């Protein structure tokens, strides 16, 4: 805590931090000065005049707004003086004069600062006997947000939020005087990724949530079944793990709003987190278990379905455990993921366990040291990560770091992302990141403090010699980045006090994964511990890894091939752990294709979406079980479909990008016949045939005996029981309990996993130009993708990313076609037909297609190759083999 | 509608002139409006793209200023001032005749032939030559004033405009020539205004112009500031802050610094700066150069209200001449000192006369006042130290430098040194501008110079410093017009625009027009002003329409006292002083009016119109 000053409020002295405003200081000492325009996260404007107090000055006392008064030593404030009270009363009278007072149908009623302040500070009786000025009561700012201009008190909070946090001034004041209204440009509805936060900070009912509008009353009343219950939970759309409040009444989600957690999301959430609430109670959810009979899926009882699963898996477990695999989910909580890997490791006896972007991605398990790091960074380098689309709230932190803390930003990405507008854009081709980073490090290693690092750390001397062979001028020719830019970046990093480099999953998968990861690790050695961080894509990507949903890692990132480790787990679990690393997510699909894998259990994943090759592979399986909320493409192929509940229907924990384990408690009872993932797994385990004592799990392998039946360890009655075991088994989670997590979650420390300690040399591969496939494919994540999670909310349909292929306008011109015409994009793996859209943010020689479009064209084109796939764009020729883009 | 390449290039040139390109937003919109007639949402989007702003930012800017058209207008846009000074000279009758001539029924209408659109407007700075009508012609950027209107003349004007529809509209006012003026002899500020070609640099030089600049450049900047401090020159914009003291507030070692000449003369009853700019623009420019030198600014702005077309034309011509003669630009007169002046047009917003609102407007933003502190002298335009002085204040500077502070102090009083341009308007025989030393009495000004009242009617009330200042009653006629004496008499000298109201003129009419002005011009930023001015106007209109209650007068006093104390900027007090003083001094008359028009004291029922069903009028979700 910095300097403190003494101020006097109504004759009482208080010690408060210097430099803050009087409203903040008063809050700290328990005096709630009423405010409308003032907000703890926004710059003061002094507009509403609600916080008037008297202060003493050398020229007598003076009325002034507390929100614009910085506290200084000796400040004497009269808050409850007659003049100050009368002034605040008068302001409220002015505000209420033209306010419509339609509280009975106002969504804000019951949690409305205007109501509260009218109670506490309002005039006794209105003197207003004129006709109220009428304005537009239903003025849509977008499909998502409604503005009632009559209720609006013109506090500008919404305008300022968009300016100060999103840096997208899309709202403004229009007209002036009494006619002043908030509005968008008439042709431009509000389109910011976190626009919904203006609903939360609106101090009246002027801004309302169009998805939730009229679905709830904020106050609790009546018998418990009719009470609106606020459930403190987390968001599952990205790895930031924003804290949410999900309001539930009669077992239906009524509204989602942000919940404050200063360490994670502050008080903000993105529009997907807020508005995508349709999936909870969607009609499209799987209603009951399904089993395949005569080639068709038909409804079944849980009993029948679970037995079919056990029978199918057991048969192959007996035959050949290596022919069985399981896919977990980075979108499902820790408990179910933990049980999934435990089930398959112990019951089935296989390490064929992974999740999408799990074992195939060379991720650093540490993730980000802390969200706070972005606030403190003075230089930020983004490598292959698009914060604005992938983590909008974190993106706002990034933008503020640049605009408010004067951090310098460099964005290395195949596409000129929105993030790049806030810094220097450095283009890179997919898969060329290591080339660029090595060229950068070649410039860095001679500069201090980096030279010292290479002298100090093992492998440094050889590294310097090696990395200097990567000449920047060669790279410049390849990726179109100027040497000056790289030199500037190297210089900036040398001067940086707190640099931060963030990279995404596409950088560390595919043909260049090893070289890219090595380059990033070397960069961390140069910059310092935790200065380079992996940004995981999904809400529980970090947790799924922690839980050991990986083919080569047991829970807690412990090497499955290490006998000591396995022995420890044998003691924990009471059963042998298979000793060889299993197949990755992609490896399992490839094994299915060539007949090595026969049975696959898929929890919360949709591998069929990886493209035609994956779909074919899944069709070749003997047993395919899908446990999911929706009928995915994979579920359509399954032999058994188990209807799972959403995360909000059961207690669970999620681990976010900064290794913060957070609670997601049950908010409502499971929909229809669905069951929570963890409970389904426990049931499967209990149904698993009990092996006779002495019988080895594996055929033909002798001498290893289970001490006792593994079923004995499956007596979990609640997810918290699973968490207790996790806390015992996973060293990083030691001591964690549901209660200890509290509502803010707990981080596990970065030093509980390995980190790079010596310089390594992995020579990047050059991708030879292929005249047949001249373009690079750039696949990108977008916030408003076409997954069921978004599509089940009708209001979001207009903001979904369009199914197009985006190309540089000059490339389109060179092809001799018009924007909007359909082209065929062809790779070695698939061919898709999409309309072409001109986009100057796309580099020449690349084509950009979003992930998770209907029919998954990007995934199909990539096939098993991953980033760096080359494609051709055809405008004529034979009829394309078109992937069905309607699912 | 795509803008022409020519306009886009012009906009880019404008942007390049300013330290921050966004400042060119206002001027660019004037240019575009000339080109395409009005600022449609599509035009806003194009402008936004040029300026790298969001369309919403441009939309918000356009929405603040009245001179940007949000809908198409007729070939001629006729805007009549109906504010108090013009009203007292018969603006209502002129307006009535205008309506008859054009066959329109209300303000805002366009004639069926698309030739004329009529609007009511606020004070145009023509109070001494009112009633006035501003005419803008489609395809032309600068408006023309038609002054000293009579019903007969307005009929003729309509015919003339119809006849000249294919010709460009001249910018020179009709009738041409300075307004009536007078005062002390010899005059100082107005000494040259009646000379032929007084606005040209050759005549100015022949009269000894720019000699003060030569002298100033031979002094150090500190010496210039000291001289102005010693003169006691006080700001002529309204607040009366000592100019030299203000200059000395510029923090050391912070550069660049800017000087802004506040030429946003919009205070009803005030029309002095206009004459200085029209008929002696070099005097202002010389003052600007000296002041800029004193504070070591290398860029100065003249923020001139958008309605002032002719003064703008004269000023830009004069600035051009000054560049050509080496008084502006690089290395002025070999001194090593350089200065650029940008003449920046506003676009119709009274509040932009408030210095911090002016700065926002100059930066290409809505004219909302800024938080003080920091004061502009420390953190002004573009976040840099900025001195803002009124046109008349700066016009004094060359004379102070030329003749010395002691010479200056022989005029006026100890605390209000110097001479002043008193604008007299309203019900007097010779409305006009009178240059007199501070301390002249109201009686002398009105009776000795302005020829006494119309028809020798007794004076009822005098507004001594522009419409924002409290009214004085006839018993205060012997008040000397200096800052201190007027304050002691219960008002403020303000901008020295003296409005005379005689017996027989209805005060409720004056009050209604006064509050209407402030309701219209409130920037909308702070609650008491935004909500309060609208509320007060509703009460006063109700009284005027015969549904008043006596307690309404108390209610006005109660509400206005809060507005007076609680607003963000001085606009709030200014908006209520007039009506408060009217009630204080003329309560009997007002009560009698209420008694006569609404003897029962009944008020109309309060229309309550709540909606208690959520789905009423709920629009479809898609907003395409």
């Amino acid at each position: 805590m910095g300097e403190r000053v003494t101020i006097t409020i109504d004759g009482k002295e208080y010690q408060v931090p210097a430099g803050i405003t009087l409203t903040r200081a008063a809050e700290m000492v328990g005096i709630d000065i009423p405010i409308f325009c003032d907000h703890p996260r926004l710059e003061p404007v002094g507009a509403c005049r609600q916080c008037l107090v008297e202060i003493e000055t050398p020229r007598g006392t003076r009325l002034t707004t507390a929100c614009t008064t910085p506290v200084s030593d000796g400040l004497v404030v009269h808050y409850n003086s007659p003049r100050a009270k009368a002034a605040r009363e008068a302001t409220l009278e002015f505000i209420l004069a033209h306010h419509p007072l339609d509280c009975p149908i106002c969504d804000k009623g019951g949690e409305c600062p205007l109501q509260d302040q009218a109670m506490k500070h309002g005039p006794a009786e209105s003197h207003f006997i004129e006709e109220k000025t009428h304005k537009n009561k239903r003025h849509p700012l977008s499909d998502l947000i409604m503005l009632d201009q009559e209720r609006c008190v013109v506090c500008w909070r919404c305008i300022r939020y968009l300016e100060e946090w999103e840096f997208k001034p899309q709202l403004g004041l229009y007209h002036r005087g009494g006619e002043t209204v908030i509005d968008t440009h008439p042709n431009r509805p509000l389109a910011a990724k976190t626009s919904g936060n203006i609903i939360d900070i609106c101090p009246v009912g002027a801004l309302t949530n169009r998805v939730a509008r009229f679905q709830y009353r904020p106050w609790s009343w009546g018998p418990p079944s009719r009470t609106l219950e606020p459930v403190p939970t987390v968001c599952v759309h990205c790895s930031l793990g924003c804290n949410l409040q999900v309001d539930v009444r009669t077992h239906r989600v009524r509204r989602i709003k942000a919940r404050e957690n200063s360490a994670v999301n502050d008080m903000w959430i993105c529009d997907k987190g807020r508005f995508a609430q349709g999936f909870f109670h969607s009609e499209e959810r799987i209603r009951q278990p399904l089993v395949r009979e005569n080639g068709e899926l038909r409804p079944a009882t849980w009993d029948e379905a679970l037995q079919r699963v056990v029978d199918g898996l057991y048969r192959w477990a007996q035959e050949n455990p290596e022919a069985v695999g399981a896919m977990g989910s980075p979108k499902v909580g820790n408990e179910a993921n933990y049980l999934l890997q435990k089930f398959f490791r112990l019951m089935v006896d296989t390490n064929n366990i992974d999740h999408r972007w799990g074992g195939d991605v060379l991720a650093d398990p540490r993730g980000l040291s802390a969200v706070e790091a972005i606030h403190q960074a003075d230089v930020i380098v983004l490598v292959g990560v698009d914060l604005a689309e992938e983590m909008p709230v974190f993106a706002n932190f990034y933008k503020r770091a640049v605009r408010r803390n004067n951090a310098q930003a460099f964005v290395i990405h195949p596409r000129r992302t929105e993030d790049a507008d806030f810094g220097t854009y450095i283009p890179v081709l997919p898969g060329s990141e290591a080339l660029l980073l090595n060229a950068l490090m070649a410039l860095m290693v001679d500069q201090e403090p980096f030279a010292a690092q290479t002298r100090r750390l093992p492998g440094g001397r050889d590294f310097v010699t090696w990395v200097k062979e990567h000449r920047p001028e060669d790279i410049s020719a390849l990726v179109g980045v100027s040497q000056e830019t790289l030199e500037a970046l190297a210089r900036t990093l040398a001067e940086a006090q707190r640099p931060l480099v963030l990279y995404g999953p596409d950088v560390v998968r595919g043909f260049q994964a090893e070289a890219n990861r090595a380059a990033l690790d070397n960069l961390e050695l140069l910059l310092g511990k935790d200065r380079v961080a992996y940004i995981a894509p999904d809400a529980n990507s970090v947790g799924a890894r922690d839980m050991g949903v990986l083919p080569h890692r047991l829970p807690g990132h412990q090497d499955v091939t290490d006998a000591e480790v396995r022995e420890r787990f044998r003691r924990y679990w009471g059963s042998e752990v298979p000793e060889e690393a299993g197949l990755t997510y992609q490896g399992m699909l490839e094994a299915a294709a060539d007949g090595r894998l026969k049975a696959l259990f898929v929890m919360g994943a949709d591998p069929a979406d990886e493209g035609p090759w994956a779909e074919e592979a899944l069709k070749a399986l003997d047993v395919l079980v899908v446990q999911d909320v929706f009928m995915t493409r994979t579920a359509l192929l399954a032999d058994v479909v188990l209807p799972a509940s959403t995360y909000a229907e059961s207690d669970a924990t999620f681990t976010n990008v900064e290794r913060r384990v957070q609670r997601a408690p049950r908010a409502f009872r499971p929909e229809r016949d669905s069951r929570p993932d963890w409970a389904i797994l426990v049931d499967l385990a209990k149904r698993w045939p009990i092996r006779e004592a002495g019988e080895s799990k594996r055929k033909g392998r002798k001498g290893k005996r289970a001490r006792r039946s593994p079923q004995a360890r499956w007596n979990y009655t609640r997810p918290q029981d699973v968490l207790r075991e996790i806390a015992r088994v996973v060293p990083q989670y030691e001591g964690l309990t549901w209660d200890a997590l509290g509502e803010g979650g707990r981080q596990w420390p970065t030093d509980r996993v390995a980190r790079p300690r010596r310089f390594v040399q992995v020579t990047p591969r050059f991708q030879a130009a292929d005249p047949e496939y001249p373009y690079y494919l750039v696949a990108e994540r977008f916030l408003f993708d076409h997954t069921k999670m978004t599509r089940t909310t009708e209001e979001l349909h207009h903001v979904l990313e369009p199914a197009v292929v985006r190309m540089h306008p000059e490339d389109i011109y060179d092809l001799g076609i018009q924007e909007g015409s359909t082209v065929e994009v062809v790779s070695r793996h698939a061919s898709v037909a999409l309309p072409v859209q001109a986009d100057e943010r796309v580099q020449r020689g690349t084509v950009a297609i979003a992930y998770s479009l209907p029919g998954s064209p990007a995934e199909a084109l990539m096939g098993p190759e991953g980033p760096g796939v080359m494609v051709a764009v055809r405008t004529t020729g034979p009829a394309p083999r078109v992937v069905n883009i309607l699912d | 509608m795509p803008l022409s390449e020519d306009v886009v290039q012009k906009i880019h040139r404008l942007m390049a002139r300013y330290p921050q390109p966004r400042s060119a937003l206002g001027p660019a919109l004037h240019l575009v409006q000339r080109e395409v007639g009005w600022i449609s949402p599509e035009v806003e989007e194009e402008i936004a793209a040029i300026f790298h702003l969001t369309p919403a930012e441009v939309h918000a800017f356009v929405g603040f200023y009245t001179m940007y058209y949000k809908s198409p207008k007729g070939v001629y846009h006729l805007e009549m001032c109906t504010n108090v000074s013009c009203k007292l000279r018969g603006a209502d009758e002129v307006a009535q005749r205008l309506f008859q001539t054009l066959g329109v029924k209300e303000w805002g209408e366009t004639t069926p032939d698309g030739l004329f659109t009529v609007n009511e407007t606020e004070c145009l700075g023509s109070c001494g030559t009112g009633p006035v009508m501003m005419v803008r012609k489609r395809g032309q950027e600068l408006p023309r004033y038609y002054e000293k209107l009579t019903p007969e003349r307005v009929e003729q004007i309509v015919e003339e405009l119809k006849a000249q529809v294919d010709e460009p509209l001249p910018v020179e006012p009709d009738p041409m020539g300075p307004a009536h003026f007078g005062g002390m002899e010899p005059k100082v500020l107005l000494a040259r205004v009646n000379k032929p070609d007084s606005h040209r640099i050759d005549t100015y030089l022949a009269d000894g112009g720019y000699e003060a600049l030569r002298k100033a450049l031979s002094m150090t900047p500190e010496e210039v500031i000291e001289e102005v401090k010693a003169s006691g020159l006080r700001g002529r914009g309204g607040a009366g802050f000592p100019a030299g003291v203000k200059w000395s507030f510029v923090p050391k070692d912070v550069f660049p610094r800017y000087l802004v000449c506040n030429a946003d003369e919009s205070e009803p009853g005030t029309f002095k700066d206009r004459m200085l700019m029209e008929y002696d623009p070099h005097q202002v420019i010389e003052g600007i150069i000296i002041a800029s030198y004193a504070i070591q600014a290398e860029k100065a702005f003249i923020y001139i209200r958008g309605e002032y077309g002719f003064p703008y034309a004269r000023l830009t011509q004069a600035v051009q001449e000054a560049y050509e003669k080496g008084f502006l630009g690089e290395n002025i007169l070999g001194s090593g000192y350089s200065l650029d002046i940008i003449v920046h047009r506003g676009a119709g917003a009274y509040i932009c006369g408030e210095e911090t609102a002016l700065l926002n407007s100059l930066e290409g933003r809505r004219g909302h006042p800024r938080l003080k502190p920091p004061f502009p002298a420390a953190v002004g335009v573009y976040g840099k130290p900025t001195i803002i002085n009124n046109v008349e204040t700066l016009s004094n500077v060359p004379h102070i430098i030329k003749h010395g502070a002691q010479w200056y102090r022989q005029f006026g009083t100890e605390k209000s040194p110097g001479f002043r341009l008193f604008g007299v308007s309203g019900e007097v025989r010779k409305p006009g501008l009178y240059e007199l030393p501070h301390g002249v009495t109201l009686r002398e000004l009105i009776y000795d110079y302005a020829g006494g009242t119309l028809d020798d009617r007794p004076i009822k009330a005098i507004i001594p410093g522009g419409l924002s200042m409290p009214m004085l009653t006839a018993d205060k006629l012997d008040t000397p017009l200096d800052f201190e004496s007027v304050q002691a008499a219960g008002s403020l000298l303000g901008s020295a625009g003296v409005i005379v109201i005689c017996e027989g003129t209805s005060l409720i009419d004056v009050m209604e027009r006064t509050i209407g002005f402030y309701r219209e011009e409130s920037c909308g930023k702070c609650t008491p002003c935004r909500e309060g001015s609208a509320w007060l106007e509703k009460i006063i209109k109700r009284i005027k329409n015969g549904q008043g209650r006596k307690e309404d007068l108390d209610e006005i006093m109660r509400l206005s006292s809060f507005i007076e104390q609680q607003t963000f900027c001085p606009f709030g007090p200014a908006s209520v002083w007039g009506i408060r003083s009217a009630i204080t001094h003329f309560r009997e008359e007002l009560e009698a009016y209420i008694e006569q028009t609404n003897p029962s004291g009944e008020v109309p029922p309060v229309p309550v119109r709540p909606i208690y069903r959520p789905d009423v009028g709920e629009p479809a979700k898609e907003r395409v």
Side-chain angles (χ1 to χ4, degrees), chain A residues 355-368:
Chain A
H355 59 282
R356 191 182 195 210
W357 287 324
D360 298 312
V361 173
L362 300 183
D364 187 314
R366 288 171 297 167
L368 184 62

Side-chain angles (χ1 to χ4, degrees), chain B residues 551-577:
Chain B
E551 58 262 45
D552 285 332
L553 300 177
D554 298 324
E555 185 61 19
I556 294 171
M557 292 303 278
R558 186 183 77 89
L559 292 174
S560 59
S561 80
F562 291 124
I563 297 172
E564 184 181 3
Q565 294 176 67
Q566 290 179 211
T567 54
F568 184 90
C569 82
F571 183 100
S575 70
V576 297
W577 281 341

Side-chain angles (χ1 to χ4, degrees), chain A residues 600-761:
Chain A
L600 181 64
F601 186 96
V602 178
M603 175 179 83
D606 190 8
D609 234 14
E610 305 294 340
W613 69 280
E615 208 161 354
E616 290 306 315
L618 293 167
K619 281 181 188 163
L621 287 165
D622 181 51
V623 178
L624 175 61
V625 181
V626 171
Q627 173 175 319
D628 211 316
V629 176
F630 289 103
M631 281 306 285
T632 59
R633 285 166 79 175
T634 310
L636 289 170
L637 304 173
D639 300 295
V640 185
V641 179
L642 303 174
S645 306
T646 66
Y647 85 106
E649 291 152 67
S650 166
D651 291 345
T653 60
F654 285 76
T655 308
N656 81 350
V657 69
E658 49 152 16
R659 306 168 320 286
R660 181 178 300 273
V661 187
Q662 304 194 97
R663 298 197 310 209
R666 177 180 137 133
F668 56 94
R669 70 179 171 217
E671 274 278 302
R672 302 205 173 88
D673 212 4
S674 74
R675 301 185 60 199
D677 290 295
W678 72 272
I680 299 171
L681 290 162
V682 169
D683 247 15
L684 287 175
K686 288 192 168 156
R687 283 167 184 267
W688 197 255
I690 296 173
R691 246 178 251 105
E692 295 305 318
E695 185 190 348
S696 168
K697 284 194 290 182
R698 277 172 193 249
K699 271 188 179 174
R701 199 183 288 181
K702 293 205 172 73
K704 286 187 176 178
R705 270 192 335 158
R707 273 189 202 154
R708 58 183 161 130
S709 151
Q711 278 86 349
R713 301 288 173 93
W714 284 80
N715 51 354
Y716 312 102
T717 56
R718 307 185 306 146
Q720 283 80 354
D721 298 339
V722 185
L723 181 63
R724 202 172 304 121
E725 181 171 319
I726 292 170
R728 216 158 45 82
V729 172
V730 179
Q732 292 83 0
Y733 287 54
E734 192 183 338
L736 281 190
T737 63
W738 184 261
D739 289 337
L741 289 175
E743 289 191 354
R746 289 253 297 264
Q747 268 183 295
W748 59 264
T750 53
D751 56 15
R752 298 235 183 127
V753 283
R755 63 180 169 89
R757 291 183 187 278
R758 60 172 300 127
F759 287 99
V760 289
Q761 299 166 22

